[in-house]
Amino acid sequence: MKKAFITGITGQDGSYLAELLLDKCYEIHGLIRRSSSFNTERIDHLYKDFHDPEARIYLHYGDLSISGQLTDMLYDISPDEIYHLGAQSHVRVSFDMPEYTGDVTGLGTLRLLEAIRKTGIKTRFYQASSSEMFGASPPPQNESTPFQPRSPYAAAKVYAYHMVQNYRDAYKLFACNGILFNHESPRRGETFVTHKVTRAATRIKLNLQEKLYLGNMEAKRDWGFAGDYVEAMWLMLQQDTPDDYVIATGETHSVREFVERVFQKLELDYEKYVSIDSRYFRPTEVDALLGDASKARTKLGWQPKVTFEQLIDMMVKADMELAEKEKTLLDAGYRPKGNNCMI
Ligand code: NAP
Ligand code: GDD
């Protein structure tokens, strides 16, 4: 049985990747942060108590900002594959917390690479690089497009990307950068624009919310489905040689178009409900992302399965179910669990 170590297992991608690797009969070790409230919601359906002989997911407390502990953990587990997905991943938040983002999103990668080098374990390493690194470089973007980062988050990811290449060249580590364009799902964090929109629109439909406040609606993104993208991560680590790959759909849409389509599906006119609030604007924006994933298609045999339309349907359906539950509770006189006040 192969062993995988996943950082960020409690995040959107971590949960889909854990599902995929369980299907492939891996034993999974995940890094989780201590939290005063539960933070394992996205993997609860996969977890079995470790006393259960069928348990194949093991969770370990730790933090990407603490190197000694990461080194000990990797030495003890000695995983065949490491998927490094943990990060402060919110671009807008990175402007509020640039130092923390540099530490966790940038240096976190270096800490893991150093842990591999120092322990000498034989493993393969996946780095969650990002299309955000292309920043101001005009679309379409592929593996040869220069990086022009436009946020502390993107700059931290560029640093991590280069450290991966450096450790690959200097120490012959099997280390890959997956340069993934935006990917979404019903498990997407609710402060990212797609989920913020589908959640708000479904709540508006059921009179649970009156308005939706957004920032720059003209930005364009290449949005795919997270479940498809984790397959590409796995494929990268199954190749004979390590390399870097762009993963994208090759289609781009504006935030406005996304909003319009979601509201249309619910037979609502978005202009009646959506207002602009400048606090959601970023000091510097990435205007347009559109990925060219030809290399992944040719070398990995990867291509996305879920279309933009299907992604919207999936997210609207899941959020409508949540909104209906919320309404049922409210109608019965119960106060549902709080909404995120930072959305
Ligand atoms: P996400 O939902 O925000 O998940 C981030 C994960 O990192 C969570 O499990 C989080 O733990 C963990 N984490 C944060 N800070 C940590 C720390 N100091 N120590 C240990 N763990 C920490 O992100 P995602 O959408 O799944 O994305 C996965 C990775 O791909 C990230 O590196 C992201 O930057 C990158 N990426 C994402 C996209 C995309 O469109 N989704 C595109 C390109 C690249 P908690 O649950 O405790 O917060
Ligand atoms: N979050 C958010 N909230 N974004 C908004 C809003 C809003 O209210 N209004 C407009 N936007 C615009 C942002 O300015 C941005 O141009 C676009 O919507 C997408 O924002 P996010 O969904 O926050 O994603 P992102 O593109 O900044 O970053 C995501 O994708 C990257 C890959 O390109 C994250 O998942 C990153 O971790 C990832 O690397």
Side-chain angles (χ1 to χ4, degrees):
M1 191 186 286
K2 271 193 182 177
K3 269 193 236 173
F5 180 72
I6 306 177
T7 72
I9 193 167
T10 55
Q12 170 188 250
D13 291 7
S15 67
Y16 282 106
L17 180 67
E19 270 171 19
L20 179 82
L21 297 184
L22 282 178
D23 275 354
K24 294 186 184 296
C25 294
Y26 279 63
E27 176 179 303
I28 297 173
H29 293 262
L31 181 77
I32 60 162
R33 299 195 284 177
R34 194 269 157 182
S35 161
S36 67
S37 52
F38 291 120
N39 62 352
T40 55
E41 195 186 348
R42 293 186 180 104
I43 49 168
D44 283 345
H45 63 295
L46 302 174
Y47 188 77
K48 284 197 167 68
D49 185 273
F50 57 84
H51 299 100
D52 185 329
E54 288 186 9
R56 279 197 287 122
I57 296 194
Y58 302 91
L59 300 177
H60 308 263
Y61 281 116
D63 198 291
L64 289 165
S65 57
I66 306 170
S67 52
Q69 199 194 7
L70 291 172
T71 310
D72 291 348
M73 219 178 268
L74 287 192
Y75 183 75
D76 290 343
I77 299 166
S78 193
D80 301 286
E81 295 167 12
I82 298 173
Y83 295 88
H84 175 36
L85 313 180
Q88 189 306 91
S89 73
H90 202 283
V91 175
R92 179 67 192 84
V93 173
S94 80
F95 288 98
D96 298 332
M97 305 179 74
E99 185 180 341
Y100 176 77
T101 304
D103 187 18
V104 170
T105 304
L107 284 175
T109 302
L110 173 69
R111 291 187 182 105
L112 284 167
L113 292 169
E114 266 295 273
I116 298 170
R117 187 183 72 81
K118 282 189 182 146
T119 55
I121 58 169
K122 289 279 158 278
T123 192
R124 295 181 169 209
F125 184 83
Y126 172 85
Q127 162 64 13
S129 285
S130 164
S131 53
E132 193 65 20
M133 303 188 304
F134 296 123
S137 273
Q141 294 100 358
N142 65 20
E143 292 81 3
S144 318
T145 305
F147 297 140
Q148 295 192 52
R150 301 270 286 167
S151 64
Y153 167 80
K157 284 286 184 187
V158 171
Y159 168 79
Y161 169 94
H162 287 298
M163 292 316 295
V164 167
Q165 288 197 334
N166 181 246
Y167 273 59
R168 186 160 77 204
D169 296 344
Y171 307 113
K172 310 293 171 236
L173 294 192
F174 192 109
C176 302
N177 283 293
I179 309 174
L180 272 52
F181 283 61
N182 298 49
H183 44 279
E184 319 293 312
S185 73
R187 296 184 204 164
R188 182 60 142 153
E190 287 164 4
T191 60
F192 296 95
V193 77
T194 53
H195 204 180
K196 181 173 169 177
V197 170
T198 54
R199 184 155 158 70
T202 46
R203 294 184 82 241
I204 287 170
K205 181 74 183 173
L206 298 190
N207 297 317
L208 295 165
Q209 181 171 337
E210 286 175 4
K211 298 285 297 180
L212 165 62
Y213 293 97
L214 291 175
N216 177 12
M217 293 181 69
E218 309 320 321
K220 290 180 151 184
R221 291 292 182 272
D222 178 330
W223 280 296
F225 169 55
D228 288 344
Y229 285 39
V230 298
E231 266 187 68
M233 299 175 185
W234 178 78
L235 282 168
M236 284 178 218
L237 296 199
Q238 312 313 309
Q239 303 306 304
D240 292 337
T241 47
D243 207 343
D244 307 322
Y245 299 89
V246 157
I247 301 296
T249 68
E251 246 185 64
T252 192
H253 302 273
S254 68
V255 173
R256 184 178 299 282
E257 195 183 336
F258 185 89
V259 172
E260 200 171 2
R261 295 229 200 161
V262 168
F263 277 75
Q264 250 169 22
K265 279 198 192 295
L266 297 164
E267 295 170 342
L268 297 171
D269 173 5
Y270 83 92
E271 296 196 58
K272 286 192 189 146
Y273 304 98
V274 176
S275 297
I276 301 298
D277 183 333
S278 59
R279 85 183 167 121
Y280 297 114
F281 281 89
R282 288 141 193 216
T284 39
E285 175 65 284
V286 171
D287 293 328
L289 292 175
L290 167 62
D292 167 9
S294 315
K295 179 174 169 185
R297 204 164 42 242
T298 315
K299 298 209 164 165
L300 302 178
W302 178 88
Q303 56 183 23
K305 297 184 189 99
V306 174
T307 64
F308 182 62
E309 212 58 44
Q310 288 168 332
L311 177 65
I312 292 181
D313 283 345
M314 189 194 297
M315 293 180 75
V316 168
K317 181 169 179 281
D319 280 337
M320 188 48 100
E321 279 167 19
L322 276 183
E324 277 163 359
K325 278 187 197 152
E326 186 181 347
K327 188 161 167 39
T328 307
L329 283 175
L330 276 173
D331 290 348
Y334 294 102
R335 203 179 158 70
K337 259 173 119 180
N339 288 311
N340 188 338
C341 50
M342 295 301 283
I343 230 163

